[in-house]
Amino acid sequence: MSGPAAWFRREGLALLTDFYELTMMAGQWREGRMDRRVSFDYFFRALPPHTGFAVSAGLGLFLDYLENLRFDDSDLDYLRSLGVFDDDFLAYLRDFTPQCTVRAVPEGSLVFPFEPAVQVEASILEAQLLETALLNFMNYSTLIATKAARVCLAAEGEPVMEFGLRRAHGPDGGVTGSRAAHIGGCTSTSNVLAGKAYGVPVSGTHAHSWVMSFPTELEAFRAFARQYPERCVLLVDTYDTIKSGVPNAIRVFQEMRERGMNVRPAIRLDSGDLAKLSKLAHKMMAGAGFDDPLIIASNDLDEDLIADLKRQGAKINGWGVGTHLITAFDCPALGGVYKLTAIQSGNEWQARMKLSSNAEKATDPGRKQMLRCFDAEDRPLGDIISLEEHPPHRTRGTLAGRLQKNPHLPAHIEGVARVGTMLRPVFADGRRTAAPEPVDRLRARAQAELAALPEEYKRLRNPEIYRVLLSEELGRMKDRMMTHPELA
Amino acid sequence: MSGPAAWFRREGLALLTDFYELTMMAGQWREGRMDRRVSFDYFFRALPPHTGFAVSAGLGLFLDYLENLRFDDSDLDYLRSLGVFDDDFLAYLRDFTPQCTVRAVPEGSLVFPFEPAVQVEASILEAQLLETALLNFMNYSTLIATKAARVCLAAEGEPVMEFGLRRAHGPDGGVTGSRAAHIGGCTSTSNVLAGKAYGVPVSGTHAHSWVMSFPTELEAFRAFARQYPERCVLLVDTYDTIKSGVPNAIRVFQEMRERGMNVRPAIRLDSGDLAKLSKLAHKMMAGAGFDDPLIIASNDLDEDLIADLKRQGAKINGWGVGTHLITAFDCPALGGVYKLTAIQSGNEWQARMKLSSNAEKATDPGRKQMLRCFDAEDRPLGDIISLEEHPPHRTRGTLAGRLQKNPHLPAHIEGVARVGTMLRPVFADGRRTAAPEPVDRLRARAQAELAALPEEYKRLRNPEIYRVLLSEELGRMKDRMMTHPELA
């Protein structure tokens, strides 16, 4: 198996972890606490600015990593060279295979702040080891899938092509970023490796260099039309969009029509006043008898620029989005965290909670389940995070709970017609509990959930805040632990 | 060889390219233009906001990629499945090995807008293929090395530990990001895989979960001190920093001292008012007889927050920087581009230039060399981009040139005592022309160049703009091509 296959399968990533995870593991090991079983939650506290939902993504990458998680000789040699770890602990790592149980929200589902999107139950050593990789996979993919969903909402159903690889954070930022962008709604990517690795559809036009490499723009366009008559999108701004690019493109499309080809003219604008140029270009093409041209725009677009171009009546009906999508430019990190919530003691689970000076950073204790409440039209109304051992009654009507940040305060969700269970088993006994899901299925799930989500959560500015409550039992427990820190 | 080694060596990345590169290649191939030799420049037009310099990084990764660039059967099978490429072209790809000549500014050097940091000379097919990967490697690494240099400038020589892996854009965003952060000046990383892959020093403390996994904070601290007496940095904010964390830490350090250990107490603050808490903690530790504690701060730090904490007299002398560094949060993309500058015609090189509606996007034509002018104290004064075939006289005194954006206007650099040549051969005949440079040497180069750079370019706000001129000959040529577009 060649290099990239190993990469896609997330092999050789055992050392993709923070050094303190390994020192903590070795510490717990030497303290004789290696068999203590714990439960950790992955969640984020805040959505990116202006954003009312997140598209959960990255779980498939994490499961690939888990299935292939082994320390090889070169890993152990490196760790030994640091002079910090003793041979017994290195032998433990050599024999390590994942024994964790993982439950998670299905990839492509919508998630909201404070919701445990992934829950890992494992020995404290293993749970610690997995932290960094889990966060790395989930944070980035969820960030990009969410950004892509916003861009696609702004494009109002018109195709969005992701082409950010050249500005992505390394090859993996590009490849798994393309995967996440597709899950979030993009129709295709320019990234061929993402096409090979994950089956994301690939697309593209041509670059300025194609035009510049021919003696004239017209010759360059003719050559491109000759080579790619079926996918002939001409980039018209190398020299002068209106004086040269569009007239030359029209001439080539006319020549194709004269040769009897059924041609839909297609151009790409990559600089200048996109609103004005698109209207002018549209008028020129209509004047030449091409009523329905495809006009693709690119050049540092994001959801706000797309919405603004639409507001101006720009004649654009295809969108190429690169830098701002693949880096989530206006907020390039999702601050997801992974927090200890419970420790097994005998046959019991003891809930744990982090307090700290920032009340915001207080965690929700205990092992959990999560319920999503739907109305009679199957639109989500709100979610309830509950203790696993005390699930609230799956009921219609009104569900009572407590506020996440002020768990002494009661709250409720009304008009519930159906309740769905969000956390499902995905990994046990060293392997996935179901086959990997292809990206088109993940994309379809996200599309369906976004379609069902009421408009007020999908606004590009000031979205409504989706309701996430703690169950009565969880709220009471959290309230008690906050007021009695010795219980935390 | 195992997975990560293939990854580090940048194997299996032949398809890490935009789809349009391959369609343009196939188009040039079928047009019979496969042997045309061209020259492309990599450069960026703008530095990140508030930034007066860039630390060039990523070249080593690009050269690794070049040395390993082959299309394997799975790549060709995937391309064939797209139904766009014919067998002749796929056979060309199967036999492809890099034949390019690359010259570049050494990795770790300072570079400025419009400077050709990498110059690729190759057949038009090969030059096109390399574009996306080159941009991906150079843009991200240069971005992070530059951000790291700013963070380290703010820390005024105190150690900066990079620990952004959990918020990085995928594994590679983390691993090559750590490499770039080290080149830019960070002392260590939390990322163990970056330690193994590139020899970046690793470091770390412990997490809140370590504290939470013990019955009490004091027991957790004692256990950590027992396990890591030599590297005992205690995280003091799990429950209450001042009431619990710092007193418990002091108690443990006192116990260590009582056992005859020569202990320098070290704590980490990860939440709350870092200025106030650090002063209080310092006072409490001084009161217990520990005059020189190490107080590490973390929690969404960046160069501005560090500068502000220093302004407040915070008693912090170690800095942990994660999210904002590894994602270059306030400007997460460097807009580097790769532009055709010349085409070989017989034995001659014909200069090429992109014009377009945005005058900013006009390129500098021709194959180039770049000179850096130094004063008598060996401080850089400015750079001159010249045509390769017309190097300006390497002279002392005043060097004349033209303005890059207004090449009809003369300009000059005065007080020149020494002139250095920036672009050096790095790849030819399918291999590197020199051995790979280890990251500590790249870091040392960046440190030396930053030390020599006058303060006015290193300010965190409103830095002076470093002077980059075109040589007389290049300026004249550009001016002529701008006023006579038919020459472009």
Side-chain angles (χ1 to χ4, degrees), chain A residues 53 146-160 184 301-311 316 319 321 455 458-461:
Chain A
F53 62 87
T146 303
K147 182 75 172 176
R150 283 171 61 82
V151 171
C152 293
L153 284 171
E156 298 175 356
E158 289 165 352
V160 176
L301 296 179
D302 64 10
E303 64 270 43
D304 295 326
L305 263 169
I306 292 173
D308 199 49
L309 285 164
K310 287 203 163 279
R311 195 188 58 77
I316 297 167
W319 306 87
V321 185
E455 289 305 319
K458 292 188 281 194
R459 283 196 292 261
L460 295 182
R461 284 292 178 277

Side-chain angles (χ1 to χ4, degrees), chain A residues 163-168, chain B residues 18 20-21 131-132 135-136 139 334 336:
Chain A
F163 48 56
L165 178 56
R166 59 191 56 195
R167 307 285 162 74
Chain B
D18 287 314
Y20 78 177
E21 312 286 9
E131 172 169 23
T132 315
L135 290 173
N136 180 279
N139 280 335
L334 182 70

Side-chain angles (χ1 to χ4, degrees), chain A residues 354-376:
Chain A
K354 179 181 176 299
L355 295 171
S356 183
S357 336
N358 301 21
E360 267 284 293
K361 285 196 166 187
T363 56
D364 296 328
R367 295 159 73 234
K368 309 193 179 67
Q369 182 47 276
M370 204 170 90
L371 303 178
R372 182 153 293 169
C373 304
F374 297 89
D375 69 10

Side-chain angles (χ1 to χ4, degrees), chain B residues 379-395:
Chain B
R379 291 177 306 208
L381 290 165
D383 296 348
I384 295 187
I385 305 172
S386 74
L387 290 168
E388 195 180 27
E389 55 270 38
H390 294 288
H393 298 296
R394 299 158 121 282
T395 180

